[in-house]
Amino acid sequence: MKVIVAPDSFKGSVSAMGAAKAIEKGIKQYLPEAETVLIPVADGGEGTMDSLVAATGGKKVELEVTGPLGDPVRAAYGQLGDGRTCVIEMADASGLYLIPPERRDPMKATTFGTGQLIKAALDAGCREFILAVGGSATNDGGSGMLQALGMKLLTKDGHEVGFGGGELDQIATIDDREFDGRITDSTFLLACDVQNPLIGPTGASHIFGPQKGATPEMVEILDKKLSHWADLVEAQTGIALHNKAGAGAAGGIGGAFQAFFSAEMRRGIDIVIEYTGLEEALAGADVVITGEGQIDYQTASGKTPMGVAQAAQKHGIPTVAFAGSIGKGIEELYQYGIQSVHSIVNGPMSLADAMNKAEQLLQQKAEQVIRTMYLNQ
Ligand SMILES: O=C(O)[C@H](O)CO
């Protein structure tokens, strides 16, 4: 029997690799001769870098960059096994999780650190980039990232503007003469977590500003400032970001990529499936086991278990999904190739207990599922 084990992480509890190893242990407990292929995956959010680095025999390179509020932070880029491809989770350098709630301030927060990661990877020879875009603390339209890569954003007096969404309306000129020339030789594959436009009621400021610390008044101001930025970008590049899908991802960095980089947007899970070689590994498999902390109707919007199941379905292979917790609407998932969804929790227990014991529970569940598959053999 060949089993592909392709879970996401169970957030706050066990990494994708840890989950995959626990599931493998459970399978082998009943069926030591089973062929197991471990492919830890992610959907473009947290864990994407780890998954791709592990699958390609790459490495993580850590460096100090400018954090969202200007303080130094340790962040990493992943260099894949081919040496050319780099994966960056922007939240690592510019993420909301880096700032305690009381200090969050999208007027000041910058994406400069994300630009520094790109620059460091360019220096290391990378020319193909995978960017996991989302989870940011910023609303600066990606201006900080551009500054880190040499773009001069100048006031009408010719001074460089400061960091943050609050500065955008001070920009009078975008001077690209010193913008890193290596960007033109590079390709950027974006895994954006949302498709929101840059401006307006469904734009970056209105939808994601509040979680970054914006008050209702601030949201209006930030939206106007981003609108000024979008006008300038359009005048410079001919690309109107205002209503462009995905331009509002991560405070507008999604738009900066679309305007100034050779960028293509794809579903995060599809990028991960391609780069981890999951499709190739599926040949001859009998079953796929995937999983995530929570599985519910939202899983159908491109989360890991659904993406994995869709890939397996193309090859006629059933997928079994494990979850820490099962929510409403899992029936939605059957059409995409998920055969069944199993909670790993084996009795009444607190969330903390379930999280602490996740590996043991995954192992136990995997053994039970494989036993059931052998019912008639
Ligand atoms: O970073 C953000 O603003 C959200 O995750 C949406 O992209």
Side-chain angles (χ1 to χ4, degrees):
M1 178 181 235
K2 178 175 173 185
V3 188
I4 306 298
V5 185
D8 202 327
S9 63
F10 284 57
K11 299 235 159 45
S13 164
V14 54
S15 68
M17 183 54 102
K21 284 188 175 154
I23 294 168
E24 178 184 49
K25 237 177 174 178
I27 297 167
K28 299 253 179 186
Q29 207 153 314
Y30 179 64
L31 211 60
E33 69 278 18
E35 184 192 344
T36 46
V37 183
L38 308 193
I39 307 184
V41 282
D43 59 13
E46 188 196 335
T48 300
M49 175 164 55
D50 285 340
S51 156
L52 298 186
V53 166
T56 60
K59 61 176 181 188
K60 261 163 88 164
V61 181
E62 214 183 278
L63 60 146
E64 189 174 286
V65 298
T66 301
L69 290 185
D71 312 319
V73 296
R74 298 292 299 171
Y77 68 84
Q79 190 164 15
L80 303 195
D82 64 5
R84 260 187 79 77
T85 309
C86 163
V87 54
I88 291 174
E89 289 177 22
M90 73 158 296
D92 215 30
S94 317
L96 192 58
Y97 83 98
L98 295 167
I99 316 179
E102 66 283 1
R103 287 192 64 214
R104 290 176 184 169
D105 186 352
M107 295 290 243
K108 298 210 173 83
T110 179
T111 50
F112 196 84
T114 297
Q116 289 175 300
L117 286 180
I118 296 174
K119 189 166 183 319
L122 285 167
D123 292 344
C126 297
R127 294 294 181 268
E128 283 168 32
F129 286 79
I130 297 168
L131 259 298
V133 172
S136 70
T138 52
N139 208 79
D140 74 346
S143 56
M145 171 194 62
L146 295 172
Q147 287 173 305
L149 291 165
M151 192 78 88
K152 297 269 175 289
L153 306 178
L154 305 172
T155 63
K156 63 176 178 350
D157 303 326
H159 297 120
E160 182 86 30
V161 296
F163 287 156
E167 293 283 315
L168 292 175
D169 60 342
Q170 297 303 309
I171 304 172
T173 312
I174 302 174
D175 177 351
D176 64 3
R177 282 173 299 175
E178 286 175 37
F179 189 49
D180 199 315
R182 295 170 297 178
I183 298 289
T184 346
D185 305 329
S186 306
T187 57
F188 290 80
L189 202 46
L190 304 187
C192 287
D193 63 345
V194 297
Q195 287 298 304
N196 296 66
L198 188 61
I199 311 297
T202 57
S205 315
H206 279 273
I207 302 296
F208 305 106
Q211 77 196 28
K212 303 175 187 184
T215 60
E217 300 73 46
M218 226 190 259
V219 162
E220 297 298 338
I221 297 169
L222 285 165
D223 192 53
K224 282 206 182 74
K225 288 174 189 271
L226 266 185
S227 184
H228 171 80
W229 168 245
D231 292 344
L232 281 179
V233 171
E234 186 175 1
Q236 176 97 3
T237 65
I239 298 171
L241 297 175
H242 312 68
N243 297 311
K244 212 172 183 37
I253 205 172
F257 277 115
Q258 294 184 55
F260 296 102
F261 295 68
S262 160
E264 184 198 338
M265 267 200 283
R266 287 191 24 216
R267 226 169 48 150
I269 182 62
D270 293 336
I271 297 175
V272 172
I273 285 173
E274 180 185 328
Y275 280 83
T276 53
L278 178 73
E279 289 259 7
E280 293 76 16
L282 284 166
D286 298 286
V287 65
V288 175
I289 299 182
T290 184
E292 195 164 18
Q294 166 84 13
I295 295 188
D296 54 28
Y297 68 95
Q298 289 191 40
T299 304
S301 63
K303 292 199 186 265
T304 296
M306 179 195 163
V308 168
Q310 282 180 309
Q313 194 179 35
K314 279 197 258 162
H315 298 260
I317 303 163
T319 297
V320 173
F322 294 170
S325 150
I326 299 178
K328 285 193 184 132
I330 54 165
E331 305 73 29
E332 263 286 291
L333 303 173
Y334 301 148
Q335 63 186 305
Y336 301 114
I338 292 192
Q339 180 67 21
S340 54
V341 183
H342 302 259
S343 163
I344 59 169
V345 176
N346 62 2
M349 67 176 75
S350 67
L351 177 62
D353 258 4
M355 288 174 89
N356 285 336
K357 291 189 195 150
E359 280 163 278
Q360 187 193 324
L361 296 172
L362 280 162
Q363 182 182 333
Q364 206 177 65
K365 184 57 67 180
E367 188 198 340
Q368 294 306 314
V369 163
I370 295 298
R371 280 180 170 276
T372 311
M373 286 184 68
Y374 267 68
L375 218 51
N376 298 320
Q377 308 210 10

